[in-house]
Amino acid sequence: MPKTGTLTKKPVKQVATRLYHHVFCDQMKEVTFKLTKKGQRLKADFAIIAVSSKETIRTGLKAVDASPFKTVFVVDETSGQVLFALSQNEEYVQQSKKKNPSPPPPPPPPPASACCQRCFREGGYACDSYPDGSCICYGRNRGATGGGLDDTLDTIAP
């Protein structure tokens, strides 16, 4: 019988759909988004690629779920600069780690959820769990701690 809090085969699939990676690499500083006036009116249509940092964390996670790329960039509306990406695309996350290896992480506290356990096993060093069962896994840089699903995305920007 598995210990409480450990992953078995059944919950692994559930956890995989709730784990979101917080991705930041230096190259993101070189990418900016600029929308025309028409683009501003249609910005919800661009949520499969990018969302405003003023949107809620909940909205950002839903955008990742809806994106065919399983990755969305979080953009500062004023400057158009990409702050970070939220991703469920494992290939993108692995490529990002190769380009910007993480510094040696501090030892993590015991994980609070199965989702965070998976995050730590995959090399993440911090994790924010949310009441709906989703979590954000931090690999290289970590913004503010805590926060809820209704906080804005800029609260977790590096």
Side-chain angles (χ1 to χ4, degrees):
M1 182 169 203
K3 295 178 184 177
T4 304
T6 60
L7 289 176
T8 60
K9 289 183 181 182
K10 185 177 179 183
V12 168
K13 288 184 180 180
Q14 290 174 315
V15 168
T17 63
R18 306 306 305 160
L19 179 65
Y20 301 83
H21 294 274
H22 180 278
V23 180
F24 176 80
C25 55
D26 292 331
Q27 292 87 343
M28 287 184 186
K29 294 176 187 174
E30 306 304 319
V31 178
T32 58
F33 285 83
K34 182 178 177 185
L35 294 178
T36 63
K37 287 184 181 187
K38 182 178 180 182
Q40 285 288 339
R41 290 191 306 270
L42 302 171
K43 75 178 172 181
D45 294 339
F46 297 109
I48 64 167
I49 299 168
V51 294
S52 166
S53 63
K54 300 301 179 197
E55 294 290 344
T56 65
I57 293 171
R58 181 185 319 272
T59 301
L61 300 181
K62 285 181 182 179
V64 174
D65 291 340
S67 172
F69 313 110
K70 294 299 177 201
T71 299
V72 295
F73 296 100
V74 177
V75 178
D76 177 15
E77 275 194 36
T78 307
S79 67
Q81 186 175 20
V82 173
L83 300 175
F84 62 95
L86 286 172
S87 183
Q88 287 187 315
N89 182 332
E90 297 297 330
E91 289 178 27
Y92 174 71
V93 171
Q94 292 306 316
Q95 287 297 330
S96 174
K97 286 180 182 178
K98 287 179 184 176
K99 289 181 181 178
N100 284 313
S102 298
S113 68
C115 192
C116 285
Q117 285 182 21
R118 180 169 182 224
C119 169
F120 292 130
R121 237 187 2 263
E122 291 180 359
Y125 70 88
C127 182
D128 285 334
S129 290
Y130 295 99
D132 71 347
S134 61
C135 63
I136 297 177
C137 180
Y138 298 88
R140 180 168 180 257
N141 290 320
R142 183 166 198 243
T145 60
L149 287 169
D150 295 319
D151 289 348
T152 58
L153 286 162
D154 55 7
T155 62
I156 60 172

